[in-house]
Amino acid sequence: YARCASRLAELRLKAAEKQGSSLRPADFAQLFIRIHRVGEQSNSEALPFGQRVMLLRSRAQAALAAGKFEEAVEWCNACETVGRACQVSVPVARLRLDLAKKEGTDLR
């Protein structure tokens, strides 16, 4: 079952990356967690898991650059969820600081 769930998550992730997804950040996080739990990569040419997870961080950066602050927060939360669940370093502190500066809520 776990292998099938991981494969399905891989397929959903690939489709989401290619089509410009309507998946929420939390859904992306769940897909990455499912893939990590099995610990296999279906494609030997695929990027290492830690690099693939950086997709979440890049989506957070894009939302921040576009001024979509609530969306950026959701992507940052997804990064932290995956980081905790999978013991992967997904640096979001700088993104949160940049977000706070743009919102005017940084400590200065």
Side-chain angles (χ1 to χ4, degrees):
Y1 170 78
R3 187 166 293 158
C4 289
S6 176
R7 182 68 183 137
L8 179 59
E10 285 274 1
L11 293 172
R12 287 188 67 199
L13 188 60
K14 285 179 185 177
E17 289 172 347
K18 289 184 181 179
Q19 298 172 358
S21 175
S22 62
L23 287 177
R24 297 174 309 124
D27 295 331
F28 270 95
Q30 285 303 114
L31 292 175
F32 278 114
I33 291 168
R34 283 188 188 129
I35 292 166
H36 185 266
R37 283 187 180 152
V38 172
E40 294 179 1
Q41 290 186 328
S42 59
N43 181 354
S44 61
E45 297 176 17
L47 291 173
F49 184 78
Q51 288 180 354
R52 292 182 67 202
V53 170
M54 289 302 160
L55 166 76
L56 301 174
R57 189 172 188 277
S58 66
R59 296 271 176 112
Q61 289 171 319
L64 184 60
K68 299 177 181 178
F69 301 136
E70 289 180 23
E71 185 178 327
V73 168
E74 289 180 35
W75 285 111
C76 287
N77 291 343
C79 289
E80 289 176 344
T81 298
V82 171
R84 277 193 310 269
C86 304
Q87 288 95 33
V88 174
S89 175
V90 186
V92 293
R94 180 65 189 196
L95 284 173
R96 289 205 185 270
L97 178 61
D98 291 343
L99 177 63
K101 285 180 181 178
K102 287 193 176 194
E103 289 183 314
T105 58
D106 61 322
L107 298 176
R108 294 188 191 243

